[in-house]
């Protein structure tokens, strides 16, 4: 049995932050997930490997233990086997996937993993442990629209055939994690169930771009209005307003609309700002009279 370098598996350094580990795992999990690679045994094995690496490196206690043991893990394995001290649950991964789905009911974790963290609560004597343990937290992801992030409201997510209901608060942001208590892996020997951690991903919007609590978007304006100034109609994410622009407004000129951006997650009554970028529309077709007027203006400039 060889030593497994979990950092190498995820392609991160040994000093990687929790966020870097999460991002690396998410990228690889999407690439090698069995649903995207049906019938591909190599992809399935790779997926198991990265899920196992994430199981260790995303859990502070497991990561600390793994780092402390390093390549001396073999000595630890021998000591634990002699004492009959294998602990830990089998089959559930913190990556948000049920690892038993890929092992026909057997643990999909490697012998290396189980030599350190245990394999189903059995010691070397074969007697079942009576130690109760809290179930693992599970992780998954959920895609929502920008409108759902702005307004909040009820949402459903399916996990392992179970339909779960939750309520989004207005102003939830990209990458934010929702915790559903008791919806993770079941505990061992009467232990409490773990939690379900749901990472939020906001789909790209064709019009609006969100930065923090602020919203940015382009607003087309015809050349006449840009030259002469006046009121323009602006569609915000939740309503339409009339906005004044001064005469001689240039393309890419940015206007701030205070308090018209995203809701603040912790203070839903407060909002960020909206930033309007003016994009001047040049007419593609002109009447003979319009063309003549533009020519006169051009001559007046020369």
């Amino acid at each position: 049995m060889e030593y497994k370098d979990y950092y190498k598996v995820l392609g991160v350094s040994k000093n990687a932050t929790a966020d870097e580990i999460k991002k690396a795992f998410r990228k690889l999990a999407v690439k090698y997930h069995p649903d995207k690679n049906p019938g591909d045994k190599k992809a399935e094995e790779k997926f198991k490997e990265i899920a196992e690496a994430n199981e260790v490196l995303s859990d502070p206690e497991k990561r600390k233990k793994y780092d402390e043991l390093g390549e001396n893990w073999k000595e630890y394995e021998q000591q634990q086997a002699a004492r009959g001290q294998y602990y830990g649950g089998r089959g559930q991964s913190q990556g948000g996937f049920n690892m038993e789905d890929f092992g026909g009911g057997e643990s999909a974790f490697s012998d290396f993993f189980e030599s350190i963290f245990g394999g189903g609560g059995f010691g070397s004597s074969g007697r079942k442990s009576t130690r109760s343990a809290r179930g693992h937290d599970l992780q998954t992801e959920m895609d929502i629209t920008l409108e759902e992030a702005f307004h909040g409201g009820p949402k459903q997510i399916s996990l392992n055939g179970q339909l779960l209901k939750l309520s989004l608060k207005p102003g939830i942001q990209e990458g934010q994690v929702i915790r559903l208590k008791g919806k993770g892996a079941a505990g061992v020997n009467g232990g409490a169930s773990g939690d379900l951690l749901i990472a939020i991903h906001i789909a790209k919007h064709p019009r609006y771009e969100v930065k923090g609590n602020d919203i940015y978007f382009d607003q087309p304006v015809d050349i006449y209005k840009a030259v002469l100034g006046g009121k323009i109609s602006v569609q915000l994410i939740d309503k339409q307003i009339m906005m004044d622009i001064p005469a001689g407004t240039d393309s890419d000129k940015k206007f701030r609309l205070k308090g018209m951006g995203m809701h603040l997650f912790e203070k839903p009554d407060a909002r960020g700002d909206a930033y309007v970028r003016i994009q001047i529309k040049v007419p593609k077709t002109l009447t003979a009279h319009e063309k003549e007027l533009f020519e006169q203006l051009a001559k007046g400039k020369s």
Side-chain angles (χ1 to χ4, degrees):
M1 186 174 16
E2 295 182 356
Y3 173 77
K4 283 184 175 289
D5 188 338
Y6 291 134
Y7 292 100
K8 186 175 181 180
V9 170
L10 293 185
V12 297
S13 72
K14 290 188 177 181
N15 297 321
T17 64
D19 188 55
E20 288 171 338
I21 289 169
K22 180 172 68 174
K23 288 180 179 177
F25 167 71
R26 184 182 298 157
K27 181 179 179 181
L28 291 171
V30 169
K31 181 178 180 180
Y32 291 104
H33 196 285
D35 289 348
K36 291 195 174 182
N37 302 274
D40 188 335
K41 292 297 182 183
K42 289 185 178 179
E44 182 176 317
E45 289 302 316
K46 183 67 175 177
F47 179 80
K48 291 179 185 178
E49 187 178 39
I50 62 178
E52 179 175 305
N54 183 66
E55 169 74 14
V56 174
L57 299 185
S58 65
D59 184 316
E61 292 184 6
K62 285 192 179 76
R63 183 178 180 181
K64 181 181 179 182
K65 185 175 181 180
Y66 173 74
D67 289 342
E68 288 175 347
L69 292 176
E71 297 191 14
N72 296 319
W73 66 275
K74 194 69 178 177
E75 297 175 11
Y76 173 81
E77 177 198 27
Q78 293 168 351
Q79 293 171 1
Q80 295 297 87
R83 297 172 184 170
Q85 291 181 350
Y86 285 112
Y87 302 124
R90 176 191 293 257
Q92 292 289 348
S93 165
Q94 283 203 358
F97 306 97
N98 186 339
M99 295 299 290
E100 291 181 357
D101 291 343
F102 307 104
E106 297 293 330
S107 171
F109 292 130
S110 68
D111 290 341
F112 171 77
F113 175 95
E114 295 193 356
S115 71
I116 298 176
F117 302 108
F122 286 86
S124 59
S125 65
R127 293 176 297 175
K128 190 170 183 181
S129 169
T130 58
R131 179 184 293 268
S132 64
R134 178 182 181 275
H136 291 303
D137 290 342
L138 301 183
Q139 297 177 1
T140 189
E141 301 174 358
M142 181 170 67
D143 294 325
I144 64 174
T145 65
L146 181 57
E147 286 79 5
E148 288 174 324
F150 178 85
H151 293 289
K155 191 74 176 175
Q156 293 182 340
I157 186 171
S158 179
L159 183 69
N160 294 335
Q162 184 181 11
L163 190 63
L164 303 175
K165 296 181 180 181
L166 59 151
S167 181
L168 299 178
K169 286 178 61 176
I172 194 165
Q173 295 187 353
E174 168 68 23
Q176 196 163 340
V177 176
I178 297 175
R179 180 184 292 269
L180 297 185
K181 290 188 175 296
K183 299 300 182 180
V188 177
N189 296 324
S193 295
D195 300 336
L196 175 62
L197 307 178
I198 306 172
I200 298 296
H201 294 298
I202 302 175
K204 185 177 181 180
H205 197 279
R207 175 171 170 80
Y208 305 108
E209 179 185 7
V210 177
K211 297 180 181 180
N213 296 307
D214 298 331
I215 297 177
Y216 293 77
F217 62 95
D218 292 336
Q219 177 65 42
V221 175
D222 65 61
I223 193 170
Y224 313 108
K225 189 74 70 175
V227 171
L228 301 174
K231 291 186 177 295
I232 60 171
S233 176
V234 175
Q235 180 62 56
L236 300 173
I237 193 170
D238 60 332
K239 60 184 176 182
Q240 194 170 47
I241 65 168
M242 298 301 294
M243 185 183 90
D244 288 311
I245 63 169
T249 295
D250 291 325
S251 196
D252 289 331
K253 172 71 175 178
K254 190 185 298 180
F255 294 94
R256 176 190 178 198
L257 300 177
K258 189 175 181 180
M260 295 190 180
M262 294 291 288
H263 293 284
L264 274 61
F265 185 74
E266 297 298 336
K267 299 179 180 179
D269 292 336
R271 291 174 62 171
D273 301 328
Y275 290 88
V276 185
R277 291 182 296 247
I278 300 299
Q279 299 297 315
I280 297 175
K281 296 188 300 180
V282 177
K284 303 300 181 184
T285 58
L286 297 172
T287 65
H289 180 60
E290 287 173 332
K291 186 175 180 180
E292 181 181 351
L293 291 174
F294 272 108
E295 288 174 346
Q296 290 176 8
L297 288 172
K299 288 178 181 178
K301 289 289 185 181
S302 59

